[in-house]
Amino acid sequence: MEQLKLTTIADLNALGTYSVLLVALEINIPSTPTIYVVNNSENINFQGNEYMAFPFEIGEISAGKGETPNFQILLDNTSRAMSQYVMTYDAYLKQNGIDGNGITCTAYVLNTNDLSEAVLTEYFQLTNFNTDNKTATFNLGTESLFNKTYPPRKMYANFCSFKFKDARCGYTGELLTCNKTLSDCRARKNSKRFGGFMGLGGGYRE
Amino acid sequence: MATYPSTPRFIFDGEIITKKGALRSESEAGYTMSRPRYTKAKKSFTLNYTAIKNEDYAILEAFFEANQGSNFSFSHPIDPSKSYTVTFAIDELKAKPVSAGRCSTVVELIEV
């Protein structure tokens, strides 16, 4: 465990103090700018990044039998900014696949008397999310082997499991999107490398 | 950003509240540990308009309709040099008729 400065330890143990302990989140959603938010009444600068004052709640950690521990982060979605991020991410996943493109979140506990270090740092991975008109809810947890895809590659009749433009896809043209179907692959003149299994579930597909 | 109308003038029996929360934890030994909950205090304002003309009320009403839900700047006459970014803390603007052509109302603003 990282050694805290003596001044920070003194602040944490003081009976009364001017310092505020704040929870800050760094949320990395592939394809969107990194989100820096802090549950405070004004913005905070930490490690060269400006954490925006933004209302959010952190739920209780639940750890049922046979489940990995997980908890919820509820971010305010009144401005619908989070919905926009989530929709952009959804479109990104359709093009690029989920492998290596999960949402990660770093939670910091900060002591405002000394913002050169975090009192506590924890890393989480997103397990699922949803949004409504008031909140964006992210379920975060640790990586579970039970959630790993096995076998690593599944067989679908009309869905290519390759990442668009990666080595297995091999497309080098100008188009930027692909909806993973054979017809889209043909439109890109790349159907020789289509990653679906057309013979499955009733034969040839469009 | 819109600016809160300076007319009609409200009367000074309203309230200015400065809010800064703290976390307190009382121990069995009798001492209390405390620390602020956040770094910046926020203000809220209650503005009482007593017996204003109906046409003045219409100014407030038009501003309320145009700016409900959004932020605007507000300066309190107690210290006009300070400007606050506020929003309405009410969902209803109520006019209470007091005499012919005059009414009273209360506006609550909260710093964002």
Side-chain angles (χ1 to χ4, degrees):
Chain A
M1 192 181 165
E2 211 173 300
Q3 191 76 38
L4 293 173
K5 286 181 189 169
L6 287 176
T7 49
T8 305
I9 294 169
D11 268 338
L12 294 177
N13 291 306
L15 280 181
T17 175
Y18 298 111
S19 79
V20 185
L21 290 178
L22 298 172
V23 179
L25 301 177
E26 179 185 329
I27 303 172
N28 292 294
I29 304 177
S31 81
T32 67
T34 303
I35 300 167
Y36 298 101
V37 288
V38 61
N39 204 353
N40 189 31
S41 51
E42 62 182 340
N43 296 358
I44 293 285
N45 281 304
F46 174 62
Q47 293 181 342
N49 297 308
E50 186 175 23
Y51 284 72
M52 202 167 73
F54 199 82
F56 64 83
E57 287 175 34
I58 295 181
E60 294 284 318
I61 295 175
S62 68
K65 224 175 186 181
E67 289 177 359
T68 52
N70 64 79
F71 68 98
Q72 288 187 329
I73 289 179
L74 289 91
L75 285 161
D76 187 84
N77 192 35
T78 315
S79 67
R80 306 293 174 105
M82 296 310 300
S83 296
Q84 185 61 38
Y85 282 150
V86 165
M87 280 156 59
T88 309
Y89 176 60
D90 194 44
Y92 179 83
L93 284 187
K94 282 176 182 157
Q95 286 174 29
N96 299 286
I98 185 70
D99 285 344
N101 290 324
I103 296 179
T104 58
C105 173
T106 310
Y108 300 102
V109 176
L110 305 176
N111 172 17
T112 55
N113 264 6
D114 183 0
L115 288 170
S116 63
E117 64 174 356
V119 176
L120 189 70
T121 307
E122 295 286 350
Y123 302 94
F124 301 98
Q125 285 188 341
L126 179 101
T127 52
N128 64 57
F129 58 85
N130 63 61
T131 58
D132 62 24
N133 59 353
K134 282 191 175 170
T135 52
T137 307
F138 292 85
N139 290 311
L140 297 163
T142 53
E143 192 176 36
S144 168
L145 289 176
F146 295 110
N147 294 333
K148 284 270 184 193
T149 308
Y150 188 83
R153 190 175 168 209
K154 288 183 181 170
M155 299 169 89
Y156 297 105
N158 194 28
F159 184 81
C160 174
S161 56
F162 298 155
K163 201 177 213 176
F164 186 49
K165 290 190 171 183
D166 77 353
R168 291 183 299 176
C169 167
Y171 177 71
T172 53
E174 292 175 351
L175 291 173
L176 300 172
T177 61
C178 166
N179 70 4
K180 307 280 185 180
T181 61
L182 178 60
S183 55
D184 233 33
C185 204
R186 280 183 174 145
R188 284 155 186 74
K189 302 194 188 322
N190 197 41
S191 58
K192 279 184 187 172
R193 309 192 71 154
F194 179 63
F197 295 84
M198 293 173 295
L200 284 178
Y204 184 79
R205 300 286 174 88
E206 276 294 316
Chain B
M1 193 191 299
T3 304
Y4 189 77
S6 54
T7 52
R9 302 299 292 260
F10 51 86
I11 58 169
F12 282 83
D13 69 342
E15 279 184 332
I16 302 174
I17 298 171
T18 305
K19 184 181 173 188
K20 189 172 185 188
L23 297 166
R24 289 182 198 85
S25 164
E26 210 168 305
S27 74
E28 283 188 8
Y31 56 84
T32 303
M33 294 181 81
S34 65
R35 65 173 62 247
R37 197 182 283 266
Y38 37 80
T39 54
K40 190 183 175 191
K42 297 283 183 183
K43 292 204 181 291
S44 60
F45 305 90
T46 303
L47 314 177
N48 289 338
Y49 294 88
T50 305
I52 55 172
K53 291 178 189 166
N54 282 354
E55 50 266 35
D56 285 341
Y57 177 76
I59 294 172
L60 290 177
E61 192 179 41
F63 187 82
F64 177 75
E65 284 181 22
N67 294 285
Q68 171 68 306
S70 66
N71 301 337
F72 46 90
S73 66
F74 169 74
S75 293
H76 198 284
I78 282 181
D79 186 1
S81 64
K82 280 187 185 167
S83 177
Y84 301 95
T85 301
V86 297
T87 189
F88 285 107
I90 49 173
D91 286 336
E92 295 167 335
L93 187 66
K94 294 175 186 170
K96 203 182 278 181
V98 288
S99 63
R102 287 187 177 269
C103 65
S104 296
T105 191
V106 178
V107 173
E108 289 174 29
L109 306 175
I110 188 163
E111 191 182 1
V112 293

